[in-house]
Amino acid sequence: MDMLNQILSINNGGAYGGGKAGGAFDPLTFAMKPQVVIRALCWLFSVVVFGCISSEGWTEKDGKEYCLYNGDGMACKYGNMVGVFGFLASMGFMGGEFLFERMSSVKSRKRYVMADMGFSALWTFMYFVAFLYLWSQWSSSAPPPLGIGAGSMKTAIWFCLFSIVSWALCALMAYKRFLIGAGDEFTSAFETDPANVVHQQAYGYSMDNDNDQYSASPFGQPQQVGMEQQQSGMEYQQPTY
Protein backbone atom coordinates (compact mmCIF):
# COMPACT_ATOMS: atom_id res chain seq x y z
CA MET A 1 0.00 0.00 0.00
CA ASP A 2 2.86 2.37 0.84
CA MET A 3 4.49 1.56 -2.50
CA LEU A 4 1.23 2.39 -4.33
CA ASN A 5 0.95 5.70 -2.49
CA GLN A 6 4.54 6.46 -3.40
CA ILE A 7 3.85 5.72 -7.07
CA LEU A 8 0.74 7.91 -7.03
CA SER A 9 2.53 10.76 -5.24
CA ILE A 10 2.43 13.94 -7.31
CA ASN A 11 4.44 17.10 -6.98
CA ASN A 12 1.75 19.75 -6.59
CA GLY A 13 4.07 22.73 -6.60
CA GLY A 14 2.35 24.12 -9.68
CA ALA A 15 -1.00 23.92 -11.46
CA TYR A 16 -2.43 20.40 -11.88
CA GLY A 17 0.34 18.72 -9.92
CA GLY A 18 3.16 19.95 -12.15
CA GLY A 19 6.17 22.07 -11.35
CA LYS A 20 6.44 25.78 -11.89
CA ALA A 21 6.54 26.73 -15.57
CA GLY A 22 9.92 27.86 -16.83
CA GLY A 23 11.95 25.91 -14.25
CA ALA A 24 15.29 24.28 -15.04
CA PHE A 25 15.09 20.84 -16.69
CA ASP A 26 16.80 17.97 -14.89
CA PRO A 27 16.89 14.78 -17.03
CA LEU A 28 17.36 12.49 -14.02
CA THR A 29 14.46 14.03 -12.11
CA PHE A 30 12.28 13.78 -15.22
CA ALA A 31 13.20 10.12 -15.79
CA MET A 32 12.32 9.29 -12.15
CA LYS A 33 8.87 10.88 -12.27
CA PRO A 34 6.16 8.26 -11.54
CA GLN A 35 4.22 9.32 -14.65
CA VAL A 36 7.27 8.79 -16.88
CA VAL A 37 8.25 5.47 -15.28
CA ILE A 38 4.75 3.96 -15.58
CA ARG A 39 4.37 5.32 -19.11
CA ALA A 40 7.67 3.71 -20.08
CA LEU A 41 6.33 0.39 -18.77
CA CYS A 42 3.19 0.86 -20.90
CA TRP A 43 5.46 1.43 -23.90
CA LEU A 44 7.50 -1.70 -23.16
CA PHE A 45 4.47 -3.91 -22.58
CA SER A 46 2.89 -2.70 -25.84
CA VAL A 47 6.06 -3.55 -27.75
CA VAL A 48 5.98 -7.08 -26.32
CA VAL A 49 2.28 -7.59 -27.15
CA PHE A 50 2.34 -6.57 -30.79
CA GLY A 51 5.87 -7.95 -31.26
CA CYS A 52 4.88 -11.44 -30.16
CA ILE A 53 1.66 -11.52 -32.18
CA SER A 54 3.10 -10.03 -35.37
CA SER A 55 6.22 -12.22 -35.34
CA GLU A 56 4.74 -15.65 -34.52
CA GLY A 57 0.97 -15.17 -34.32
CA TRP A 58 0.40 -16.11 -37.95
CA THR A 59 1.22 -19.32 -39.73
CA GLU A 60 0.31 -20.79 -43.11
CA LYS A 61 -2.36 -23.48 -43.30
CA ASP A 62 -3.81 -24.83 -46.55
CA GLY A 63 -2.18 -21.97 -48.43
CA LYS A 64 -3.83 -19.33 -46.24
CA GLU A 65 -2.71 -17.28 -43.25
CA TYR A 66 -3.87 -18.89 -40.04
CA CYS A 67 -3.97 -17.12 -36.65
CA LEU A 68 -2.72 -19.28 -33.81
CA TYR A 69 -5.52 -17.96 -31.60
CA ASN A 70 -7.92 -20.69 -32.68
CA GLY A 71 -7.79 -19.54 -36.29
CA ASP A 72 -9.53 -16.28 -35.37
CA GLY A 73 -7.86 -13.63 -37.50
CA MET A 74 -9.70 -10.86 -35.64
CA ALA A 75 -8.00 -11.92 -32.39
CA CYS A 76 -4.54 -11.44 -33.91
CA LYS A 77 -5.56 -8.16 -35.57
CA TYR A 78 -7.15 -6.81 -32.38
CA GLY A 79 -4.11 -7.70 -30.28
CA ASN A 80 -1.82 -6.01 -32.82
CA MET A 81 -4.02 -2.92 -32.98
CA VAL A 82 -4.15 -2.47 -29.21
CA GLY A 83 -0.40 -2.98 -28.91
CA VAL A 84 0.55 -0.60 -31.74
CA PHE A 85 -1.72 2.23 -30.64
CA GLY A 86 -0.63 1.74 -27.03
CA PHE A 87 2.99 1.97 -28.17
CA LEU A 88 2.38 5.22 -30.09
CA ALA A 89 0.25 6.75 -27.32
CA SER A 90 2.88 5.94 -24.69
CA MET A 91 5.54 7.79 -26.67
CA GLY A 92 3.16 10.70 -27.21
CA PHE A 93 2.33 11.01 -23.51
CA MET A 94 5.99 10.78 -22.52
CA GLY A 95 6.61 13.74 -24.83
CA GLY A 96 3.60 15.42 -23.24
CA GLU A 97 5.14 14.97 -19.78
CA PHE A 98 8.23 16.76 -21.03
CA LEU A 99 6.12 19.68 -22.28
CA PHE A 100 3.78 19.64 -19.26
CA GLU A 101 6.28 21.42 -17.02
CA ARG A 102 6.67 24.13 -19.66
CA MET A 103 2.97 24.84 -20.06
CA SER A 104 2.37 28.27 -18.58
CA SER A 105 -1.36 28.17 -19.36
CA VAL A 106 -3.53 26.47 -16.74
CA LYS A 107 -6.11 25.66 -19.43
CA SER A 108 -3.48 23.84 -21.51
CA ARG A 109 -2.49 21.74 -18.52
CA LYS A 110 -6.14 20.97 -17.82
CA ARG A 111 -6.71 19.78 -21.40
CA TYR A 112 -3.61 17.59 -21.27
CA VAL A 113 -4.62 16.02 -17.93
CA MET A 114 -8.15 15.34 -19.18
CA ALA A 115 -6.81 13.78 -22.39
CA ASP A 116 -4.39 11.63 -20.37
CA MET A 117 -7.12 10.51 -17.98
CA GLY A 118 -9.62 9.71 -20.75
CA PHE A 119 -7.23 7.84 -23.04
CA SER A 120 -5.59 5.90 -20.20
CA ALA A 121 -8.99 4.76 -18.91
CA LEU A 122 -10.05 3.79 -22.44
CA TRP A 123 -6.86 1.81 -23.11
CA THR A 124 -7.19 0.04 -19.77
CA PHE A 125 -10.54 -1.21 -21.00
CA MET A 126 -9.13 -2.08 -24.44
CA TYR A 127 -6.38 -4.20 -22.90
CA PHE A 128 -8.91 -5.83 -20.59
CA VAL A 129 -10.94 -6.87 -23.63
CA ALA A 130 -7.76 -8.03 -25.39
CA PHE A 131 -6.75 -10.17 -22.41
CA LEU A 132 -10.14 -11.89 -22.22
CA TYR A 133 -10.41 -12.26 -26.00
CA LEU A 134 -6.94 -13.73 -26.55
CA TRP A 135 -7.08 -15.96 -23.47
CA SER A 136 -10.48 -17.33 -24.51
CA GLN A 137 -9.33 -18.11 -28.07
CA TRP A 138 -6.01 -19.58 -26.95
CA SER A 139 -7.67 -21.90 -24.44
CA SER A 140 -9.90 -23.22 -27.24
CA SER A 141 -7.20 -23.62 -29.88
CA ALA A 142 -5.23 -26.74 -30.72
CA PRO A 143 -1.49 -26.72 -29.97
CA PRO A 144 0.51 -25.37 -32.93
CA PRO A 145 2.72 -27.79 -34.92
CA LEU A 146 5.93 -28.53 -33.02
CA GLY A 147 4.82 -25.94 -30.45
CA ILE A 148 6.19 -23.10 -32.59
CA GLY A 149 4.67 -19.81 -31.49
CA ALA A 150 2.99 -21.14 -28.36
CA GLY A 151 5.35 -19.27 -26.04
CA SER A 152 4.84 -15.98 -27.88
CA MET A 153 1.05 -16.32 -27.75
CA LYS A 154 1.11 -16.93 -24.01
CA THR A 155 3.54 -14.06 -23.51
CA ALA A 156 1.22 -11.66 -25.37
CA ILE A 157 -1.67 -12.69 -23.12
CA TRP A 158 0.35 -12.16 -19.96
CA PHE A 159 1.58 -8.75 -21.07
CA CYS A 160 -1.97 -7.72 -21.88
CA LEU A 161 -2.69 -8.39 -18.21
CA PHE A 162 0.35 -6.35 -17.14
CA SER A 163 -0.77 -3.54 -19.45
CA ILE A 164 -4.16 -3.38 -17.72
CA VAL A 165 -2.39 -2.57 -14.44
CA SER A 166 0.03 -0.05 -15.94
CA TRP A 167 -2.61 1.86 -17.91
CA ALA A 168 -4.93 1.87 -14.90
CA LEU A 169 -2.14 3.46 -12.83
CA CYS A 170 -1.74 6.13 -15.51
CA ALA A 171 -5.47 6.86 -15.34
CA LEU A 172 -5.35 7.08 -11.54
CA MET A 173 -2.40 9.49 -11.59
CA ALA A 174 -4.14 11.67 -14.18
CA TYR A 175 -7.32 11.64 -12.06
CA LYS A 176 -5.33 12.72 -9.01
CA ARG A 177 -3.82 15.55 -11.04
CA PHE A 178 -7.29 16.58 -12.15
CA LEU A 179 -8.53 16.70 -8.54
CA ILE A 180 -5.54 18.86 -7.52
CA GLY A 181 -6.20 21.27 -10.39
CA ALA A 182 -9.94 21.42 -9.71
CA GLY A 183 -9.26 22.22 -6.04
CA ASP A 184 -6.83 24.98 -6.99
CA GLU A 185 -9.34 26.47 -9.43
CA PHE A 186 -12.09 26.49 -6.77
CA THR A 187 -9.85 28.18 -4.20
CA SER A 188 -8.63 30.73 -6.71
CA ALA A 189 -12.16 31.53 -7.89
CA PHE A 190 -13.44 31.92 -4.32
CA GLU A 191 -10.64 34.26 -3.28
CA THR A 192 -10.90 36.44 -6.39
CA ASP A 193 -14.72 36.65 -6.45
CA PRO A 194 -15.63 40.37 -5.94
CA ALA A 195 -18.55 39.44 -3.68
CA ASN A 196 -16.26 37.46 -1.37
CA VAL A 197 -13.69 40.26 -1.35
CA VAL A 198 -16.39 42.74 -0.26
CA HIS A 199 -17.46 40.41 2.55
CA GLN A 200 -13.88 39.99 3.69
CA GLN A 201 -13.37 43.75 3.83
CA ALA A 202 -16.70 44.38 5.55
CA TYR A 203 -16.21 41.80 8.28
CA GLY A 204 -12.51 42.38 8.73
CA TYR A 205 -10.93 39.05 7.78
CA SER A 206 -8.75 37.78 4.98
CA MET A 207 -8.43 34.38 3.29
CA ASP A 208 -4.65 34.89 3.16
CA ASN A 209 -4.37 34.88 6.96
CA ASP A 210 -2.72 31.56 7.86
CA ASN A 211 -3.77 31.70 11.50
CA ASP A 212 -7.44 32.31 10.62
CA GLN A 213 -7.54 35.19 13.09
CA TYR A 214 -10.10 37.91 12.68
CA SER A 215 -9.08 41.54 12.70
CA ALA A 216 -10.69 44.18 14.84
CA SER A 217 -14.34 44.94 14.22
CA PRO A 218 -14.84 47.86 11.83
CA PHE A 219 -17.29 49.36 14.33
CA GLY A 220 -14.84 49.26 17.22
CA GLN A 221 -12.69 52.26 16.28
CA PRO A 222 -15.51 54.80 15.64
CA GLN A 223 -17.23 53.71 18.86
CA GLN A 224 -14.03 54.27 20.81
CA VAL A 225 -13.53 57.72 19.27
CA GLY A 226 -17.11 58.68 20.11
CA MET A 227 -16.65 57.69 23.76
CA GLU A 228 -13.46 59.72 24.01
CA GLN A 229 -15.26 62.78 22.62
CA GLN A 230 -18.07 62.28 25.13
CA GLN A 231 -15.65 62.09 28.04
CA SER A 232 -13.83 65.22 26.89
CA GLY A 233 -17.18 67.06 26.73
CA MET A 234 -18.04 66.07 30.29
CA GLU A 235 -14.85 67.56 31.75
CA TYR A 236 -15.48 70.42 34.23
CA GLN A 237 -14.98 73.89 32.81
CA GLN A 238 -14.56 76.84 35.15
CA PRO A 239 -17.35 79.45 34.65
CA THR A 240 -16.40 82.96 33.71
CA TYR A 241 -17.93 86.03 35.43
Side-chain angles (χ1 to χ4, degrees), residues 61-230:
K61 186 176 182 181
D62 299 330
K64 297 180 181 180
E65 286 189 335
Y66 180 83
C67 176
L68 292 183
Y69 288 114
N70 200 26
D72 188 354
M74 284 301 299
C76 288
K77 292 176 182 177
Y78 183 81
N80 270 332
M81 183 270 294
V82 173
V84 168
F85 279 99
F87 165 79
L88 296 174
S90 298
M91 289 197 302
F93 281 114
M94 280 193 285
E97 286 297 329
F98 173 77
L99 297 174
F100 187 75
E101 304 292 339
R102 286 152 183 77
M103 294 179 186
S104 57
S105 172
V106 177
K107 289 184 179 179
S108 298
R109 288 192 176 192
K110 181 179 181 180
R111 293 191 191 101
Y112 173 79
V113 170
M114 292 182 68
D116 184 6
M117 180 172 58
F119 188 88
S120 297
L122 173 63
W123 232 244
T124 301
F125 175 74
M126 295 290 280
Y127 265 113
F128 177 72
V129 173
F131 170 74
L132 293 180
Y133 190 12
L134 299 183
W135 175 77
S136 174
Q137 293 297 341
W138 178 250
S139 61
S140 303
S141 62
L146 303 177
I148 299 174
S152 295
M153 299 302 96
K154 293 177 182 177
T155 301
I157 295 173
W158 275 107
F159 275 85
C160 282
L161 180 61
F162 299 154
S163 295
I164 295 172
V165 178
S166 61
W167 282 96
L169 284 175
C170 289
L172 283 175
M173 287 188 290
Y175 178 67
K176 189 171 181 180
R177 271 181 169 176
F178 180 77
L179 291 181
I180 292 172
D184 291 343
E185 283 185 353
F186 175 79
T187 303
S188 176
F190 180 83
E191 292 180 355
T192 57
D193 188 354
N196 293 323
V197 173
V198 171
H199 285 114
Q200 293 173 23
Q201 293 174 349
Y203 292 98
Y205 70 89
S206 172
M207 294 295 295
D208 296 329
N209 192 348
D210 293 334
N211 296 325
D212 294 332
Q213 294 178 348
Y214 290 92
S215 62
S217 170
F219 307 104
Q221 189 172 357
Q223 185 178 2
Q224 187 176 0
V225 172
M227 291 180 64
E228 289 177 355
Q229 290 177 353
Q230 244 181 355

Side-chain angles (χ1 to χ4, degrees), residues 13-53:
Y16 285 92
K20 301 293 184 181
F25 176 71
D26 183 5
L28 183 60
T29 303
F30 174 77
M32 295 300 292
K33 284 179 62 177
Q35 291 88 349
V36 177
V37 173
I38 300 300
R39 194 68 70 182
L41 290 177
C42 292
W43 176 85
L44 177 62
F45 296 162
S46 297
V47 170
V48 174
V49 169
F50 81 77
C52 288
I53 296 176

